Amino acid sequence: MTTPDEPADDPRVSATHKASEYLRSLLAAPRAKKIWCKYLPENISPDTQVLSYRAIARSISAFENQRYGVEDSPNRYKDRVRRAIIGQRLTADTVQLFAETFDFNPQQTSRLLGHLSVAKSNPEKSQKVQNRPGYEITSTFNDFFFDSQQRVYRCECSMVILAVQDGVDSMKVLPSNEVQRINLLEGGTCSWNEVEQVYCFQLDYPLKAQEVMAIRYELELDPTVEQENGLLMVQYMMPRPANFFRLIFDDPATAPEEVIAIRDVKDSDGSPIPTRLSMPVYEGRCSLHLDTIYHEDIYFYDLKDL
């Protein structure tokens, strides 16, 4: 069913439906189903093939309560769950909620966000993009791993790129000092360009305008290279609308109790974006979602060091 302002042949509507279809498949898979089936009413068998909005909403409510101490009624999430599952409304925030509650992996989350990036895209606007390398980064999912001394040693990144012109077949990546090696795990092959001193990602196939592709790669980092500020500093050169960060500490006993993310940037209309964001640590993990990242640096600190 489509609304009057969303024609049935609009590719953005189709992309939203594809995202919801994929979400339904993830929720029906054994890993996620095992979580929400615990909240089914007694008169419904765990073998049911029907997704229960109520049980899924209860799962989300229980997860939020366990992780953040937020005691919200499942009814708060029920309508949001229903809209996401039937394809009426699915946002990056909702994807994060499902991903954290049902433990979707980065590849699954990136694929969901990839569908959303098409749903949000404006073809006319994309054709006017200037001074860009033929593509836009529409979403990123970053996992940073820390050893028992709180030193970052690996990053696993999944991103979705949207071609804004035909023939996009590669990406260039400028490494920082602590990067020892980059392994491209999905989407193409990686090589080192000695002349330009950059890594080159050669995509599996050339993209047409408005086509998306998921890229997944791993950064092997030198933990002995001291971070200039706090636990970690991440620099972004291109804007992107959906961004997820997870900090994973090998030893929960030595992990911070709370991580603070600090950014110094203004929105497109000049209004300030909050510069200090709290990330409570639970069982050695914490996460952060940012709607939009511009050309900016983001710093992560142990709260006790501020």
Side-chain angles (χ1 to χ4, degrees):
M1 178 179 178
T2 57
T3 57
D5 60 338
E6 293 179 329
D9 59 352
D10 188 334
R12 291 171 291 180
V13 177
S14 175
T16 301
H17 290 164
K18 286 181 180 179
S20 295
E21 181 180 4
Y22 183 51
L23 174 63
R24 291 194 295 272
S25 72
L26 293 176
L27 291 171
R31 186 175 181 175
K33 189 175 180 180
K34 184 178 179 180
I35 296 174
W36 60 260
C37 270
K38 295 186 295 185
Y39 299 93
L40 284 169
E42 293 182 359
N43 62 336
I44 298 180
S45 169
D47 296 329
T48 179
Q49 300 301 309
V50 178
L51 296 176
S52 169
Y53 304 149
R54 178 176 295 180
I56 293 170
R58 285 177 174 175
S59 302
I60 293 173
S61 177
F63 176 83
E64 293 286 285
N65 183 20
Q66 180 185 35
R67 184 166 188 180
Y68 302 111
V70 178
E71 296 185 7
D72 283 325
S73 167
N75 291 333
R76 177 189 173 193
Y77 302 101
K78 188 177 178 182
D79 188 58
R80 188 174 178 182
V81 166
R82 181 186 65 81
R83 291 178 179 228
I85 289 176
I86 67 176
Q88 190 175 74
R89 178 174 172 77
L90 181 58
T91 66
D93 281 338
T94 302
V95 167
Q96 184 193 24
L97 201 59
F98 278 104
E100 292 186 343
T101 301
F102 300 104
D103 200 23
F104 297 165
N105 64 41
Q107 297 91 331
Q108 293 167 335
T109 306
S110 292
R111 183 174 170 185
L112 277 171
L113 293 171
H115 289 307
L116 291 186
S117 69
V118 175
K120 291 182 178 180
S121 68
N122 182 330
E124 294 182 1
K125 179 180 179 181
S126 295
Q127 291 172 1
K128 298 177 182 179
V129 174
Q130 302 294 326
N131 300 320
R132 298 281 177 82
Y135 63 87
E136 295 178 347
I137 299 174
T138 64
S139 60
T140 55
F141 193 111
N142 301 283
D143 281 346
F144 294 97
F145 295 85
F146 295 79
D147 62 19
S148 59
Q149 299 180 52
Q150 298 186 8
R151 301 179 303 181
V152 60
Y153 65 89
R154 189 169 91 249
C155 171
E156 293 181 6
C157 177
S158 297
M159 68 169 62
V160 177
I161 63 172
L162 170 69
V164 296
Q165 64 186 42
D166 290 336
V168 174
D169 62 359
S170 63
M171 300 172 60
K172 293 181 180 179
V173 180
L174 181 65
S176 56
N177 293 335
E178 64 266 29
V179 175
Q180 295 180 316
R181 181 183 176 89
I182 297 182
N183 303 310
L184 188 55
L185 306 175
E186 180 182 341
T189 58
C190 178
S191 61
W192 173 252
N193 187 318
E194 188 66 33
V195 176
E196 299 184 50
Q197 294 289 295
V198 297
Y199 285 96
C200 180
F201 289 178
Q202 191 67 38
L203 304 184
D204 283 335
Y205 54 86
L207 301 180
K208 297 179 180 180
Q210 295 303 298
E211 190 173 5
V212 298
M213 176 180 280
I215 306 292
R216 185 167 66 92
Y217 61 92
E218 175 189 56
L219 303 177
E220 296 180 11
L221 308 174
D222 183 355
T224 64
V225 176
E226 186 175 354
Q227 296 291 319
E228 294 182 6
N229 293 279
L231 296 168
L232 174 70
M233 186 276 281
V234 186
Q235 184 177 58
Y236 291 97
M237 307 301 292
M238 291 179 63
R240 57 201 72 188
N243 309 273
F244 298 85
F245 301 87
R246 288 196 303 188
L247 275 59
I248 302 169
F249 297 88
D250 288 350
D251 184 1
T254 62
E257 294 184 2
E258 183 175 351
V259 171
I260 300 296
I262 295 181
R263 55 196 302 224
D264 185 13
V265 67
K266 291 186 177 180
D267 206 344
S268 55
D269 62 359
S271 59
I273 294 175
T275 58
R276 184 178 171 121
L277 301 166
S278 174
M279 301 168 61
V281 178
Y282 178 74
E283 294 186 350
R285 297 188 175 203
C286 59
S287 60
L288 176 69
H289 168 230
L290 297 177
D291 280 329
T292 303
I293 285 178
Y294 300 96
H295 185 169
E296 62 179 281
D297 297 340
I298 302 175
Y299 301 90
F300 296 89
Y301 294 88
D302 184 338
L303 175 61
K304 68 179 178 57
D305 293 333
L306 292 178

